[in-house]
Amino acid sequence: DSGVTQTPKHLITATGQRVTLRCSPRSGDLSVYWYQQSLDQGLQFLIQYYNGEERAKGNILERFSAQQFPDLHSELNLSSLELGDSALYFCASSPHPGEVREKLFFGSGTQLSVL
Amino acid sequence: AQSVTQLGSHVSVSEGALVLLRCNYSSSVPPYLFWYVQYPNQGLQLLLKYTSAATLVKGINGFEAEFKKSETSFHLTKPSAHMSDAAEYFCATTTGTASKLTFGTGTRLQVTL
């Protein structure tokens, strides 16, 4: 158990809908990272928050947004969903802003299926 | 931009046999390299990392990897496979921060009796 909690584990929705994925980092970790894992794109970094502020942005679509709350949990909001958004969404956390030597701790992911 | 290429999307070995999972990197500057493992229905777990110290890196569960600059490789090995090693393995790299990790496409390791 990595200590990173993601809910829900599975989510099935329809095209055009909006969903929210939740992540609770390990106790004491200030950084939260979101990754998308799909069959065609592989594992891609979406966005990172550190202590409530956006720290780094990757290949995140404009239809997607994220935030980190004062209690350090994070939410990833996906709107106007398309079939291609079906993927496994991972959250990871680390203690610091994201130094390269840091170890990331991954949650078990949320499997999103858009029908 | 830095990238990694994993050769072989599926590798099958017998229990007790050598495990060799291949990863080649492409980077214009010295890279940091990582191997992560993903067990079924779980998130990724760091196996080992190379951050420009010793070229032979030992990780968890008996795995190790050797950084070879001349071959631009960072292959993952384990002398003797165990059934519990069956999982998907990802090579990753960054020249910057942890948030800019670039992952390979993954290699699924199957271990047979």
Side-chain angles (χ1 to χ4, degrees):
Chain A
D1 183 9
S2 66
V4 178
T5 303
Q6 289 188 249
T7 57
K9 290 191 182 303
H10 303 275
L11 197 50
I12 301 174
T13 188
T15 55
Q17 295 298 304
R18 172 189 168 94
V19 297
T20 297
L21 313 183
R22 182 187 171 103
C23 170
S24 294
R26 288 190 327 151
S27 177
D29 283 359
L30 299 179
S31 271
V32 169
Y33 311 75
W34 286 98
Y35 283 85
Q36 179 195 59
Q37 185 180 32
S38 62
L39 287 176
D40 54 346
Q41 300 283 344
L43 195 60
Q44 291 197 94
F45 166 69
L46 295 178
I47 196 164
Q48 177 202 358
Y49 277 82
Y50 173 71
N51 205 20
E53 300 290 327
E54 183 182 302
R55 184 79 177 186
K57 217 168 192 177
N59 299 320
I60 188 166
L61 299 173
E62 287 190 8
R63 300 183 285 109
F64 296 1
S65 64
Q67 55 184 328
Q68 186 179 28
F69 295 86
D71 67 352
L72 301 177
H73 90 271
S74 178
E75 293 181 355
L76 179 66
N77 300 295
L78 316 176
S79 61
S80 302
L81 285 168
E82 302 174 359
L83 296 178
D85 298 327
S86 296
L88 188 54
Y89 291 85
F90 284 111
C91 167
S93 74
S94 70
H96 303 301
E99 298 167 7
V100 68
R101 297 169 188 270
E102 279 205 337
K103 179 178 178 178
L104 301 187
F105 294 86
F106 283 79
S108 56
T110 293
Q111 180 68 57
L112 173 66
S113 298
V114 182
L115 305 179
Chain B
Q2 67 275 18
S3 64
V4 287
T5 302
Q6 292 185 242
L7 301 175
S9 58
H10 289 85
V11 170
S12 182
V13 300
S14 300
E15 191 173 34
L18 171 72
V19 175
L20 171 61
L21 304 182
R22 300 177 187 274
C23 173
N24 288 88
Y25 69 89
S26 171
S27 176
S28 57
V29 298
Y32 296 100
L33 295 160
F34 307 79
W35 276 100
Y36 279 85
V37 61
Q38 184 179 21
Y39 297 105
N41 302 313
Q42 294 186 30
L44 280 77
Q45 180 182 359
L46 182 66
L47 274 178
L48 49 82
K49 60 182 177 183
Y50 167 76
T51 55
S52 72
T55 56
L56 182 62
V57 182
K58 293 188 184 298
I60 62 172
N61 302 338
F63 284 94
E64 62 181 37
E66 186 172 7
F67 174 73
K68 291 187 176 180
K69 187 176 179 181
S70 61
E71 299 177 6
T72 61
S73 69
F74 190 60
H75 302 332
L76 181 71
T77 61
K78 183 174 180 177
S80 176
H82 192 271
M83 296 296 289
S84 62
D85 295 326
E88 186 142 21
Y89 293 79
F90 292 90
C91 182
T93 186
T94 182
T95 55
T97 63
S99 60
K100 297 188 185 301
L101 275 176
T102 301
F103 287 87
T105 51
T107 297
R108 185 166 297 278
L109 176 65
Q110 180 182 21
V111 182
T112 59
L113 289 171

mmCIF file of all heavy atoms in Angstrom, chain A residues 34-68:
data_model
loop_
_atom_site.group_PDB
_atom_site.id
_atom_site.type_symbol
_atom_site.label_atom_id
_atom_site.label_comp_id
_atom_site.label_asym_id
_atom_site.label_seq_id
_atom_site.Cartn_x
_atom_site.Cartn_y
_atom_site.Cartn_z
ATOM 1 N N TRP A 34 -0.838 14.143 -11.424
ATOM 2 C CA TRP A 34 -1.856 13.364 -12.119
ATOM 3 C C TRP A 34 -1.277 12.830 -13.425
ATOM 4 O O TRP A 34 -0.630 13.563 -14.186
ATOM 5 C CB TRP A 34 -3.090 14.202 -12.424
ATOM 6 C CG TRP A 34 -3.943 14.486 -11.232
ATOM 7 C CD1 TRP A 34 -3.950 15.610 -10.461
ATOM 8 C CD2 TRP A 34 -4.938 13.617 -10.674
ATOM 9 N NE1 TRP A 34 -4.873 15.490 -9.455
ATOM 10 C CE2 TRP A 34 -5.501 14.281 -9.562
ATOM 11 C CE3 TRP A 34 -5.419 12.342 -10.996
ATOM 12 C CZ2 TRP A 34 -6.522 13.720 -8.779
ATOM 13 C CZ3 TRP A 34 -6.414 11.783 -10.230
ATOM 14 C CH2 TRP A 34 -6.955 12.463 -9.133
ATOM 15 N N TYR A 35 -1.537 11.541 -13.668
ATOM 16 C CA TYR A 35 -1.085 10.883 -14.892
ATOM 17 C C TYR A 35 -2.277 10.188 -15.555
ATOM 18 O O TYR A 35 -3.200 9.731 -14.881
ATOM 19 C CB TYR A 35 -0.026 9.816 -14.603
ATOM 20 C CG TYR A 35 1.348 10.361 -14.311
ATOM 21 C CD1 TYR A 35 1.690 10.762 -13.023
ATOM 22 C CD2 TYR A 35 2.300 10.456 -15.311
ATOM 23 C CE1 TYR A 35 2.959 11.251 -12.758
ATOM 24 C CE2 TYR A 35 3.574 10.943 -15.045
ATOM 25 C CZ TYR A 35 3.888 11.337 -13.766
ATOM 26 O OH TYR A 35 5.148 11.819 -13.498
ATOM 27 N N GLN A 36 -2.222 10.097 -16.869
ATOM 28 C CA GLN A 36 -3.225 9.362 -17.632
ATOM 29 C C GLN A 36 -2.533 8.190 -18.316
ATOM 30 O O GLN A 36 -1.478 8.364 -18.945
ATOM 31 C CB GLN A 36 -3.854 10.270 -18.686
ATOM 32 C CG GLN A 36 -4.898 9.590 -19.561
ATOM 33 C CD GLN A 36 -5.222 10.420 -20.795
ATOM 34 O OE1 GLN A 36 -4.342 10.718 -21.593
ATOM 35 N NE2 GLN A 36 -6.488 10.795 -20.936
ATOM 36 N N GLN A 37 -3.116 7.003 -18.179
ATOM 37 C CA GLN A 37 -2.566 5.828 -18.848
ATOM 38 C C GLN A 37 -3.614 5.273 -19.808
ATOM 39 O O GLN A 37 -4.648 4.773 -19.395
ATOM 40 C CB GLN A 37 -2.155 4.755 -17.839
ATOM 41 C CG GLN A 37 -1.456 3.555 -18.471
ATOM 42 C CD GLN A 37 -1.056 2.509 -17.441
ATOM 43 O OE1 GLN A 37 -1.715 2.322 -16.422
ATOM 44 N NE2 GLN A 37 0.043 1.811 -17.695
ATOM 45 N N SER A 38 -3.332 5.355 -21.090
ATOM 46 C CA SER A 38 -4.252 4.834 -22.095
ATOM 47 C C SER A 38 -3.496 3.903 -23.029
ATOM 48 O O SER A 38 -2.269 3.951 -23.110
ATOM 49 C CB SER A 38 -4.903 5.970 -22.888
ATOM 50 O OG SER A 38 -3.909 6.694 -23.592
ATOM 51 N N LEU A 39 -4.249 3.092 -23.751
ATOM 52 C CA LEU A 39 -3.618 2.095 -24.623
ATOM 53 C C LEU A 39 -2.839 2.767 -25.748
ATOM 54 O O LEU A 39 -1.752 2.317 -26.119
ATOM 55 C CB LEU A 39 -4.682 1.167 -25.193
ATOM 56 C CG LEU A 39 -5.270 0.169 -24.206
ATOM 57 C CD1 LEU A 39 -6.379 -0.635 -24.857
ATOM 58 C CD2 LEU A 39 -4.183 -0.757 -23.663
ATOM 59 N N ASP A 40 -3.388 3.855 -26.275
ATOM 60 C CA ASP A 40 -2.705 4.451 -27.429
ATOM 61 C C ASP A 40 -1.644 5.476 -27.045
ATOM 62 O O ASP A 40 -0.652 5.640 -27.755
ATOM 63 C CB ASP A 40 -3.733 5.070 -28.390
ATOM 64 C CG ASP A 40 -4.652 6.049 -27.687
ATOM 65 O OD1 ASP A 40 -4.666 6.051 -26.442
ATOM 66 O OD2 ASP A 40 -5.368 6.794 -28.374
ATOM 67 N N GLN A 41 -1.818 6.154 -25.927
ATOM 68 C CA GLN A 41 -0.868 7.207 -25.543
ATOM 69 C C GLN A 41 0.127 6.765 -24.483
ATOM 70 O O GLN A 41 1.097 7.464 -24.213
ATOM 71 C CB GLN A 41 -1.618 8.440 -25.018
ATOM 72 C CG GLN A 41 -2.570 9.060 -26.017
ATOM 73 C CD GLN A 41 -1.843 9.875 -27.068
ATOM 74 O OE1 GLN A 41 -0.676 10.234 -26.920
ATOM 75 N NE2 GLN A 41 -2.525 10.150 -28.161
ATOM 76 N N GLY A 42 -0.114 5.623 -23.874
ATOM 77 C CA GLY A 42 0.778 5.186 -22.793
ATOM 78 C C GLY A 42 0.542 6.002 -21.542
ATOM 79 O O GLY A 42 -0.549 6.509 -21.308
ATOM 80 N N LEU A 43 1.601 6.157 -20.752
ATOM 81 C CA LEU A 43 1.497 6.865 -19.479
ATOM 82 C C LEU A 43 1.976 8.294 -19.681
ATOM 83 O O LEU A 43 3.138 8.527 -20.005
ATOM 84 C CB LEU A 43 2.351 6.144 -18.449
ATOM 85 C CG LEU A 43 2.150 6.470 -16.978
ATOM 86 C CD1 LEU A 43 0.734 6.157 -16.555
ATOM 87 C CD2 LEU A 43 3.135 5.679 -16.133
ATOM 88 N N GLN A 44 1.091 9.261 -19.457
ATOM 89 C CA GLN A 44 1.424 10.654 -19.708
ATOM 90 C C GLN A 44 1.168 11.516 -18.478
ATOM 91 O O GLN A 44 0.119 11.390 -17.836
ATOM 92 C CB GLN A 44 0.591 11.207 -20.858
ATOM 93 C CG GLN A 44 0.934 10.641 -22.222
ATOM 94 C CD GLN A 44 0.369 11.529 -23.308
ATOM 95 O OE1 GLN A 44 1.034 12.410 -23.838
ATOM 96 N NE2 GLN A 44 -0.877 11.297 -23.638
ATOM 97 N N PHE A 45 2.085 12.420 -18.224
ATOM 98 C CA PHE A 45 1.943 13.364 -17.130
ATOM 99 C C PHE A 45 0.935 14.433 -17.514
ATOM 100 O O PHE A 45 0.992 15.005 -18.606
ATOM 101 C CB PHE A 45 3.310 13.989 -16.825
ATOM 102 C CG PHE A 45 3.259 15.214 -15.960
ATOM 103 C CD1 PHE A 45 2.885 15.111 -14.621
ATOM 104 C CD2 PHE A 45 3.576 16.454 -16.464
ATOM 105 C CE1 PHE A 45 2.842 16.231 -13.813
ATOM 106 C CE2 PHE A 45 3.542 17.579 -15.666
ATOM 107 C CZ PHE A 45 3.168 17.469 -14.340
ATOM 108 N N LEU A 46 0.009 14.723 -16.604
ATOM 109 C CA LEU A 46 -1.005 15.740 -16.864
ATOM 110 C C LEU A 46 -0.671 17.050 -16.150
ATOM 111 O O LEU A 46 -0.558 18.100 -16.775
ATOM 112 C CB LEU A 46 -2.381 15.244 -16.421
ATOM 113 C CG LEU A 46 -2.949 14.049 -17.173
ATOM 114 C CD1 LEU A 46 -4.302 13.651 -16.592
ATOM 115 C CD2 LEU A 46 -3.080 14.335 -18.658
ATOM 116 N N ILE A 47 -0.558 16.985 -14.816
ATOM 117 C CA ILE A 47 -0.381 18.212 -14.063
ATOM 118 C C ILE A 47 0.130 17.890 -12.667
ATOM 119 O O ILE A 47 -0.075 16.787 -12.162
ATOM 120 C CB ILE A 47 -1.716 18.995 -14.000
ATOM 121 C CG1 ILE A 47 -1.505 20.439 -13.572
ATOM 122 C CG2 ILE A 47 -2.719 18.270 -13.101
ATOM 123 C CD1 ILE A 47 -2.717 21.332 -13.873
ATOM 124 N N GLN A 48 0.820 18.858 -12.060
ATOM 125 C CA GLN A 48 1.328 18.723 -10.701
ATOM 126 C C GLN A 48 0.925 19.934 -9.874
ATOM 127 O O GLN A 48 0.965 21.062 -10.356
ATOM 128 C CB GLN A 48 2.854 18.625 -10.688
ATOM 129 C CG GLN A 48 3.461 18.546 -9.281
ATOM 130 C CD GLN A 48 4.910 18.979 -9.219
ATOM 131 O OE1 GLN A 48 5.526 19.316 -10.227
ATOM 132 N NE2 GLN A 48 5.493 18.968 -8.032
ATOM 133 N N TYR A 49 0.548 19.663 -8.630
ATOM 134 C CA TYR A 49 0.295 20.710 -7.657
ATOM 135 C C TYR A 49 1.237 20.530 -6.476
ATOM 136 O O TYR A 49 1.553 19.408 -6.090
ATOM 137 C CB TYR A 49 -1.155 20.675 -7.164
ATOM 138 C CG TYR A 49 -2.086 21.381 -8.109
ATOM 139 C CD1 TYR A 49 -2.563 20.726 -9.245
ATOM 140 C CD2 TYR A 49 -2.474 22.683 -7.898
ATOM 141 C CE1 TYR A 49 -3.397 21.367 -10.131
ATOM 142 C CE2 TYR A 49 -3.316 23.348 -8.776
ATOM 143 C CZ TYR A 49 -3.764 22.681 -9.892
ATOM 144 O OH TYR A 49 -4.592 23.326 -10.776
ATOM 145 N N TYR A 50 1.681 21.643 -5.958
ATOM 146 C CA TYR A 50 2.522 21.619 -4.771
ATOM 147 C C TYR A 50 1.951 22.602 -3.758
ATOM 148 O O TYR A 50 1.883 23.811 -4.039
ATOM 149 C CB TYR A 50 3.972 21.980 -5.107
ATOM 150 C CG TYR A 50 4.853 22.132 -3.888
ATOM 151 C CD1 TYR A 50 5.219 21.027 -3.134
ATOM 152 C CD2 TYR A 50 5.291 23.387 -3.467
ATOM 153 C CE1 TYR A 50 6.005 21.158 -2.009
ATOM 154 C CE2 TYR A 50 6.071 23.528 -2.340
ATOM 155 C CZ TYR A 50 6.432 22.408 -1.613
ATOM 156 O OH TYR A 50 7.203 22.533 -0.492
ATOM 157 N N ASN A 51 1.538 22.083 -2.637
ATOM 158 C CA ASN A 51 1.021 22.899 -1.536
ATOM 159 C C ASN A 51 -0.059 23.879 -1.996
ATOM 160 O O ASN A 51 -0.063 25.048 -1.603
ATOM 161 C CB ASN A 51 2.172 23.661 -0.869
ATOM 162 C CG ASN A 51 1.860 24.025 0.564
ATOM 163 O OD1 ASN A 51 0.986 23.431 1.205
ATOM 164 N ND2 ASN A 51 2.544 25.017 1.075
ATOM 165 N N GLY A 52 -0.927 23.394 -2.855
ATOM 166 C CA GLY A 52 -2.067 24.181 -3.278
ATOM 167 C C GLY A 52 -1.879 24.971 -4.559
ATOM 168 O O GLY A 52 -2.850 25.504 -5.105
ATOM 169 N N GLU A 53 -0.651 25.047 -5.044
ATOM 170 C CA GLU A 53 -0.382 25.835 -6.245
ATOM 171 C C GLU A 53 0.008 24.930 -7.408
ATOM 172 O O GLU A 53 0.714 23.941 -7.220
ATOM 173 C CB GLU A 53 0.760 26.826 -5.989
ATOM 174 C CG GLU A 53 0.496 27.823 -4.868
ATOM 175 C CD GLU A 53 -0.564 28.830 -5.262
ATOM 176 O OE1 GLU A 53 -0.636 29.186 -6.460
ATOM 177 O OE2 GLU A 53 -1.333 29.264 -4.380
ATOM 178 N N GLU A 54 -0.416 25.290 -8.599
ATOM 179 C CA GLU A 54 -0.009 24.548 -9.782
ATOM 180 C C GLU A 54 1.500 24.692 -9.955
ATOM 181 O O GLU A 54 2.037 25.800 -9.961
ATOM 182 C CB GLU A 54 -0.729 25.083 -11.024
ATOM 183 C CG GLU A 54 -0.402 24.306 -12.287
ATOM 184 C CD GLU A 54 -1.101 24.898 -13.500
ATOM 185 O OE1 GLU A 54 -2.347 24.995 -13.503
ATOM 186 O OE2 GLU A 54 -0.388 25.266 -14.459
ATOM 187 N N ARG A 55 2.185 23.554 -10.137
ATOM 188 C CA ARG A 55 3.646 23.550 -10.197
ATOM 189 C C ARG A 55 4.159 23.268 -11.592
ATOM 190 O O ARG A 55 5.150 23.832 -12.027
ATOM 191 C CB ARG A 55 4.187 22.495 -9.242
ATOM 192 C CG ARG A 55 5.701 22.448 -9.136
ATOM 193 C CD ARG A 55 6.217 23.538 -8.256
ATOM 194 N NE ARG A 55 7.660 23.464 -8.095
ATOM 195 C CZ ARG A 55 8.349 24.244 -7.278
ATOM 196 N NH1 ARG A 55 7.734 25.148 -6.548
ATOM 197 N NH2 ARG A 55 9.647 24.117 -7.194
ATOM 198 N N ALA A 56 3.507 22.336 -12.273
ATOM 199 C CA ALA A 56 3.942 21.967 -13.615
ATOM 200 C C ALA A 56 2.759 21.432 -14.392
ATOM 201 O O ALA A 56 1.821 20.867 -13.827
ATOM 202 C CB ALA A 56 5.042 20.904 -13.549
ATOM 203 N N LYS A 57 2.814 21.665 -15.692
ATOM 204 C CA LYS A 57 1.732 21.231 -16.559
ATOM 205 C C LYS A 57 2.292 20.382 -17.670
ATOM 206 O O LYS A 57 3.323 20.693 -18.247
ATOM 207 C CB LYS A 57 1.042 22.465 -17.146
ATOM 208 C CG LYS A 57 -0.448 22.368 -17.314
ATOM 209 C CD LYS A 57 -1.050 23.735 -17.629
ATOM 210 C CE LYS A 57 -2.533 23.722 -17.513
ATOM 211 N NZ LYS A 57 -3.142 25.041 -17.731
ATOM 212 N N GLY A 58 1.583 19.311 -17.955
ATOM 213 C CA GLY A 58 2.000 18.440 -19.041
ATOM 214 C C GLY A 58 0.978 18.450 -20.146
ATOM 215 O O GLY A 58 0.469 19.481 -20.550
ATOM 216 N N ASN A 59 0.643 17.260 -20.623
ATOM 217 C CA ASN A 59 -0.284 17.141 -21.746
ATOM 218 C C ASN A 59 -1.736 17.133 -21.300
ATOM 219 O O ASN A 59 -2.490 16.219 -21.616
ATOM 220 C CB ASN A 59 0.015 15.857 -22.519
ATOM 221 C CG ASN A 59 1.418 15.856 -23.078
ATOM 222 O OD1 ASN A 59 1.907 16.870 -23.550
ATOM 223 N ND2 ASN A 59 2.090 14.717 -22.998
ATOM 224 N N ILE A 60 -2.127 18.153 -20.597
ATOM 225 C CA ILE A 60 -3.500 18.189 -20.093
ATOM 226 C C ILE A 60 -4.380 18.990 -21.039
ATOM 227 O O ILE A 60 -4.035 20.086 -21.467
ATOM 228 C CB ILE A 60 -3.541 18.770 -18.658
ATOM 229 C CG1 ILE A 60 -4.938 18.626 -18.059
ATOM 230 C CG2 ILE A 60 -3.011 20.200 -18.605
ATOM 231 C CD1 ILE A 60 -5.004 18.859 -16.566
ATOM 232 N N LEU A 61 -5.526 18.405 -21.387
ATOM 233 C CA LEU A 61 -6.458 19.056 -22.290
ATOM 234 C C LEU A 61 -7.137 20.228 -21.595
ATOM 235 O O LEU A 61 -7.259 20.260 -20.367
ATOM 236 C CB LEU A 61 -7.520 18.050 -22.758
ATOM 237 C CG LEU A 61 -7.000 16.828 -23.526
ATOM 238 C CD1 LEU A 61 -8.147 15.847 -23.767
ATOM 239 C CD2 LEU A 61 -6.372 17.243 -24.836
ATOM 240 N N GLU A 62 -7.634 21.179 -22.390
ATOM 241 C CA GLU A 62 -8.332 22.327 -21.814
ATOM 242 C C GLU A 62 -9.635 21.914 -21.148
ATOM 243 O O GLU A 62 -10.121 22.600 -20.244
ATOM 244 C CB GLU A 62 -8.604 23.366 -22.905
ATOM 245 C CG GLU A 62 -7.353 24.121 -23.335
ATOM 246 C CD GLU A 62 -7.689 25.310 -24.222
ATOM 247 O OE1 GLU A 62 -8.886 25.620 -24.364
ATOM 248 O OE2 GLU A 62 -6.753 25.906 -24.780
ATOM 249 N N ARG A 63 -10.190 20.785 -21.572
ATOM 250 C CA ARG A 63 -11.436 20.275 -20.964
ATOM 251 C C ARG A 63 -11.177 19.693 -19.564
ATOM 252 O O ARG A 63 -12.108 19.385 -18.830
ATOM 253 C CB ARG A 63 -12.048 19.177 -21.837
ATOM 254 C CG ARG A 63 -12.398 19.618 -23.232
ATOM 255 C CD ARG A 63 -13.067 18.499 -24.006
ATOM 256 N NE ARG A 63 -12.136 17.474 -24.436
ATOM 257 C CZ ARG A 63 -12.087 16.245 -23.930
ATOM 258 N NH1 ARG A 63 -12.876 15.897 -22.939
ATOM 259 N NH2 ARG A 63 -11.232 15.347 -24.415
ATOM 260 N N PHE A 64 -9.925 19.523 -19.224
ATOM 261 C CA PHE A 64 -9.554 18.952 -17.924
ATOM 262 C C PHE A 64 -9.027 20.071 -17.020
ATOM 263 O O PHE A 64 -8.333 20.981 -17.477
ATOM 264 C CB PHE A 64 -8.469 17.899 -18.088
ATOM 265 C CG PHE A 64 -8.858 16.679 -18.880
ATOM 266 C CD1 PHE A 64 -10.114 16.540 -19.444
ATOM 267 C CD2 PHE A 64 -7.952 15.658 -19.057
ATOM 268 C CE1 PHE A 64 -10.461 15.404 -20.172
ATOM 269 C CE2 PHE A 64 -8.269 14.517 -19.781
ATOM 270 C CZ PHE A 64 -9.529 14.397 -20.341
ATOM 271 N N SER A 65 -9.313 19.973 -15.763
ATOM 272 C CA SER A 65 -8.758 20.921 -14.801
ATOM 273 C C SER A 65 -8.521 20.201 -13.479
ATOM 274 O O SER A 65 -9.079 19.121 -13.240
ATOM 275 C CB SER A 65 -9.699 22.098 -14.582
ATOM 276 O OG SER A 65 -10.905 21.653 -14.000
ATOM 277 N N ALA A 66 -7.679 20.773 -12.675
ATOM 278 C CA ALA A 66 -7.381 20.149 -11.388
ATOM 279 C C ALA A 66 -7.192 21.231 -10.333
ATOM 280 O O ALA A 66 -7.007 22.408 -10.650
ATOM 281 C CB ALA A 66 -6.127 19.286 -11.483
ATOM 282 N N GLN A 67 -7.284 20.820 -9.102
ATOM 283 C CA GLN A 67 -6.960 21.719 -8.005
ATOM 284 C C GLN A 67 -6.510 20.913 -6.803
ATOM 285 O O GLN A 67 -6.817 19.711 -6.700
ATOM 286 C CB GLN A 67 -8.153 22.611 -7.654
ATOM 287 C CG GLN A 67 -9.426 21.897 -7.341
ATOM 288 C CD GLN A 67 -10.574 22.893 -7.108
ATOM 289 O OE1 GLN A 67 -10.360 23.999 -6.607
ATOM 290 N NE2 GLN A 67 -11.777 22.508 -7.459
ATOM 291 N N GLN A 68 -5.804 21.596 -5.914
ATOM 292 C CA GLN A 68 -5.380 20.985 -4.663
ATOM 293 C C GLN A 68 -5.906 21.857 -3.531
ATOM 294 O O GLN A 68 -5.717 23.065 -3.517
ATOM 295 C CB GLN A 68 -3.855 20.876 -4.578
ATOM 296 C CG GLN A 68 -3.376 20.103 -3.347
ATOM 297 C CD GLN A 68 -1.861 19.979 -3.280
ATOM 298 O OE1 GLN A 68 -1.137 20.825 -3.795
ATOM 299 N NE2 GLN A 68 -1.373 18.921 -2.640
#
